[in-house]
Amino acid sequence: MSFYKFMINRLLRSREIKKNELILFLVIFMPFLVLLLFGRVIFWGTASLQFIPWYQYFFDSLLHGDFPLWNPYNGMGVPFIANHQSAVFYPLNWFLLIFYLLGKTEGLAIGVTILIPLHLFIGGLGVMRILEKFDMSKYSQLMGGIVFAFSGYILTRLSFISMVWTYAWLPWVIFLCLQLKPINHQRSFSKLIKLSVFLSMQLLAGHAQTSYYTIMLGGVVVIFYHFDTFITHLKKIITYISATILSILVSAVQIFPTAEFLMESQRSTEVGYEFAVSLSLWPARLLTILFGNFWGNPNYGRFLSGGNFWEENLYSGVFPVVTLIILIWVLVWKTRKNQIPNPQKKIITFLLAILIFSLLFSFGKFFLLFPFLYQNIPTFSLFQAPVRFLIIYFFAF
């Protein structure tokens, strides 16, 4: 009897989850479908100047029997496959070929406009899976998925397609990191393979900086989440490193040419400090966490703050800010602490620490953390725009 009861509860739970998935799908896709119904597409900024022309050149070359290693149309000519952002081996980009065959450049623009909400949905669904693992309610799961999918970080970067693609896989990588077991543990091999698949998808999606930050965050989660014994954790770390190496090998067709190209570029050792910190989070932009347009909005011809409106967007809605304030109040109020179970307290504290670190890192030249890492820790000098570490801030939020 208990077995049947268990199966019925599982069935009801799965229906609730599917209902949430459907709601998330509709909420994310509706604004983009409205665009398409009115004959509009996401075709501005970097999408129109870079990504869609690249896809067009790539598909034209394929249709003429050529696999383009070289792009003669940028500058005096540059490597094409070795350009990581071309993402020609990213599986979901190949769906765009169908749209190109049906409608040429206009079809590509429509295809991109459909793939953007698809990736937002993938990212939101990943957050829902994480919250489900922590036994959050179905409403919490849905709200978390919506907030992540519509965060200011990604909405202001919709035209930078490779960022959207890589953003989508971050929650899934962390979801698998939370489930990682030592390499000799039962069923650990399947988890290792799944993690490698998600890491490979992100590595092939075309934005190395986002992938690097994701791998960093995954390592932190593996090290600190559910600490048991030193030996057990060491085995988990080895498993994570093994999954990362496997994903690099799977993505080698894109990663290795990019690495070779990088060694011949000005980034072979580092990017210059002034260039690296050129997009640092202006501290006064913290006010926009609650008031998104406090310093104005260039769309309305008014922007009074320092920095860059698009890169430094901190706004994720009023709901998560209010929730965070309530959580902090409950955690510090003696008579309220028991309302949150101890395991959740640890998770909340851990996420708060990550959130604060990511903000301090994003300050770049305005705070000592990034300059220290730039000068002393290898690899931190290879990327510009410390403000892009805000992707970790939004995930923790």
Side-chain angles (χ1 to χ4, degrees):
M1 188 69 180
S2 60
F3 172 76
Y4 291 111
K5 185 177 180 180
F6 170 78
M7 292 301 295
I8 290 171
N9 288 335
R10 290 288 296 176
L11 181 61
L12 291 173
R13 185 178 176 86
S14 66
R15 285 181 177 177
E16 287 179 356
I17 292 172
K18 288 179 181 178
K19 179 181 176 182
N20 276 354
E21 291 172 352
L22 179 60
I23 294 172
L24 180 69
F25 180 87
L26 292 175
V27 168
I28 292 174
F29 268 82
M30 281 304 295
F32 295 88
L33 294 179
V34 170
L35 274 180
L36 292 172
L37 288 174
F38 282 92
R40 297 179 179 180
V41 292
I42 300 294
F43 191 82
W44 58 279
T46 312
S48 62
L49 297 174
Q50 178 172 298
F51 291 105
I52 291 177
W54 281 352
Y55 298 151
Q56 181 179 2
Y57 169 63
F58 178 60
F59 293 142
D60 277 341
S61 299
L62 287 182
L63 294 173
H64 285 90
D66 182 30
F67 198 83
L69 301 177
W70 187 260
N71 177 4
Y73 299 109
N74 283 134
M76 300 293 289
V78 291
F80 185 67
I81 298 301
N83 182 344
H84 188 62
Q85 293 190 38
S86 66
V88 296
F89 297 104
Y90 180 57
L92 295 185
N93 275 346
W94 285 80
F95 285 106
L96 294 173
L97 178 58
I98 300 172
F99 291 94
Y100 187 59
L101 292 173
L102 294 174
K104 297 300 179 182
T105 307
E106 293 83 354
L108 272 180
I110 293 172
V112 167
T113 305
I114 293 174
L115 279 186
I116 287 174
L118 176 62
H119 282 85
L120 297 182
F121 173 70
I122 290 171
L125 192 60
V127 170
M128 287 178 62
R129 289 290 177 268
I130 292 172
L131 294 174
E132 180 190 4
K133 175 176 174 54
F134 289 134
D135 294 322
M136 297 294 100
S137 71
K138 59 182 180 179
Y139 303 107
S140 300
Q141 295 172 35
L142 180 60
M143 184 60 68
I146 292 173
V147 168
F148 185 77
F150 287 124
S151 74
Y153 182 91
I154 204 61
L155 288 188
T156 55
R157 291 171 168 83
L158 287 187
S159 186
F160 209 114
I161 294 168
S162 62
M163 282 191 175
V164 181
W165 286 192
T166 49
Y167 181 83
W169 299 107
L170 185 152
W172 289 100
V173 170
I174 303 306
F175 175 62
L176 263 298
C177 286
L178 292 169
Q179 301 185 73
L180 218 53
K181 299 288 191 298
I183 202 163
N184 60 350
H185 191 278
Q186 186 180 8
R187 294 194 300 174
S188 65
F189 186 72
S190 64
K191 297 289 175 59
L192 185 151
I193 296 299
K194 289 178 182 178
L195 177 58
S196 298
V197 169
F198 289 133
L199 280 170
S200 299
M201 290 294 284
Q202 193 180 58
L203 287 170
L204 291 172
H207 198 258
Q209 190 173 11
T210 303
S211 298
Y212 179 66
Y213 291 160
T214 300
I215 291 171
M216 282 177 53
L217 178 61
V220 171
V221 170
V222 169
I223 291 171
F224 291 102
Y225 175 69
H226 198 61
F227 192 90
D228 186 11
T229 64
F230 175 78
I231 297 299
T232 300
H233 247 62
L234 182 61
K235 291 178 179 178
K236 284 172 62 177
I237 293 170
I238 293 172
T239 305
Y240 180 68
I241 294 173
S242 302
T244 304
I245 293 173
L246 181 58
S247 69
I248 292 172
L249 293 176
V250 171
S251 313
V253 67
Q254 181 77 68
I255 298 297
F256 288 2
T258 300
E260 184 180 4
F261 184 27
L262 176 66
M263 296 307 295
E264 299 297 328
S265 75
Q266 71 273 24
R267 290 194 181 192
S268 58
T269 55
E270 65 179 29
V271 297
Y273 177 75
E274 289 303 320
F275 180 65
V277 298
S278 58
L279 289 171
S280 298
L281 179 64
W282 191 50
R285 288 298 295 274
L286 291 176
L287 292 169
T288 60
I289 291 177
L290 192 56
F291 307 102
N293 290 333
F294 182 87
W295 296 105
N297 188 317
N299 282 334
Y300 309 132
R302 180 176 64 88
F303 185 56
L304 304 176
S305 96
N308 183 291
F309 178 83
W310 316 108
E311 292 278 6
E312 299 178 27
N313 194 315
L314 288 165
Y315 188 69
S316 60
V318 174
F319 180 83
V321 177
V322 173
T323 304
L324 180 62
I325 293 171
I326 293 172
L327 276 175
I328 294 174
W329 177 75
V330 171
L331 285 170
V332 300
W333 200 264
K334 291 183 179 180
T335 58
R336 297 286 184 178
K337 282 184 178 180
N338 293 332
Q339 292 182 344
I340 302 178
N342 283 329
Q344 289 189 18
K345 286 179 186 175
K346 292 179 181 178
I347 293 167
I348 293 169
T349 305
F350 175 67
L351 290 174
L352 278 172
I354 290 176
L355 188 152
I356 293 169
F357 177 87
S358 61
L359 278 176
L360 295 177
F361 183 99
S362 299
F363 283 148
K365 63 183 178 182
F366 297 111
F367 190 71
L368 53 84
L369 179 59
F370 180 80
F372 173 81
L373 294 173
Y374 178 91
Q375 296 291 341
N376 298 287
I377 307 298
T379 71
F380 280 96
S381 60
L382 295 178
F383 300 106
Q384 69 165 137
V387 73
R388 289 176 186 165
F389 206 77
L390 287 176
I391 188 174
I392 308 300
Y393 154 83
F394 276 102
F395 175 78
F397 219 162

